[in-house]
């Protein structure tokens, strides 16, 4: 569909405000008590949207051109499973995604989700060293980018609950 262009401040504080999506406005005044997170519709194959819904968020599914989740007009999140992070860093895809996010959002967030068995890129392997180096280069290229490490959907939900100031 279209690009997401919030006309007002944080989505979580929308009451009778509107959001412009792909040139048409949508009114989200029905949700005065539930915080709102805009979710790329392709993300619904992952478990995080379900966890966010169970945590009390109103989810607005839409096809986003940039990022996977929008918390506010200033904050977009790109979610990566660890193996996707490795391949995205290797191919240069994550570099392009961060470049686009940095142009649109004051606070671009990279949410890295790791399974219990993936305690990291800190394993003693050559791939881990290369991945770590590429991630450091990315951080130096985009100093406004924040990285959030998550080991469960529950901890990922805290980002939306607490906001980026607590991250």
């Amino acid at each position: 569909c279209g690009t997401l262009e919030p006309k007002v401040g944080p989505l979580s504080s929308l009451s009778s405000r509107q959001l412009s999506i792909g040139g048409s406005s949508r009114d989200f005044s029905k949700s005065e008590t539930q915080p709102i997170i805009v979710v790329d519709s392709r993300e619904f194959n992952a478990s995080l949207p379900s966890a966010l819904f169970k945590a009390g968020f109103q989810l607005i599914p839409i096809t986003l051109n940039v990022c996977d989740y929008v918390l506010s007009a200033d904050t977009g999140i790109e979610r990566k499973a660890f193996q996707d992070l490795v391949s995205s860093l290797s191919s240069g895809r994550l570099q392009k995604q961060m470049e686009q996010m940095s142009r649109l959002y004051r606070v671009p967030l990279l949410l890295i989700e790791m399974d219990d068995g993936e305690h990291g890129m800190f394993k003693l392997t050559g791939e881990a060293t290369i991945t770590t180096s590429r991630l450091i280069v990315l951080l130096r290229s985009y100093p406004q980018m924040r990285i959030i490490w998550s080991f469960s959907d529950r901890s990922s939900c805290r980002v939306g609950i607490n906001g980026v100031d607590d991250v």
Side-chain angles (χ1 to χ4, degrees):
C1 295
T3 358
L4 182 70
E5 298 174 27
K7 289 185 175 178
V8 293
L11 295 175
S12 59
S13 65
L14 287 175
S15 55
S16 61
R17 301 177 184 176
Q18 291 188 334
L19 188 66
S20 173
I21 300 173
S24 63
S25 293
R26 292 181 59 187
D27 188 356
F28 295 110
S29 58
K30 296 173 187 165
S31 176
E32 291 192 23
T33 57
Q34 281 185 302
I36 296 170
I37 297 179
V38 177
V39 181
D40 187 311
S41 56
R42 295 165 289 207
E43 279 292 302
F44 283 88
N45 293 328
S47 59
L48 184 55
S50 176
L52 289 167
F53 181 77
K54 289 176 185 173
F57 291 94
Q58 178 183 356
L59 305 181
I60 307 297
I62 189 164
T63 301
L64 297 173
N65 295 328
V66 177
C67 77
D68 297 319
Y69 299 85
V70 177
L71 297 183
S72 73
D74 291 332
T75 308
I77 297 177
E78 180 65 32
R79 184 189 67 82
K80 295 285 183 198
F82 182 70
Q83 287 306 314
D84 189 25
L85 172 73
V86 172
S87 67
S88 295
L89 283 168
S90 178
S91 70
R93 188 175 80 226
L94 186 55
Q95 171 83 20
K96 290 175 186 158
Q97 290 172 314
M98 282 299 131
E99 182 179 325
Q100 291 174 324
M101 284 181 62
S102 295
R103 279 189 266 140
L104 292 174
Y105 300 102
R106 187 179 59 80
V107 183
L109 296 174
L110 175 60
L111 174 63
I112 301 171
E113 294 182 331
M114 300 175 74
D115 293 331
D116 290 333
E118 294 177 324
H119 288 272
M121 71 170 94
F122 305 107
K123 293 179 183 175
L124 302 175
T125 66
E127 181 181 290
T129 304
I130 292 168
T131 300
T132 303
S133 298
R134 288 179 177 150
L135 193 55
I136 290 169
V137 168
L138 189 68
L139 278 167
R140 294 195 66 177
S141 299
Y142 302 98
Q144 73 277 29
M145 178 181 80
R146 295 183 187 174
I147 295 179
I148 301 164
W149 297 91
S150 175
F151 293 95
S152 70
D153 286 338
R154 185 174 172 209
S155 64
S156 295
C157 286
R158 285 192 208 122
V159 175
I161 294 168
N162 296 330
V164 294
D165 293 334
D166 293 340
V167 174

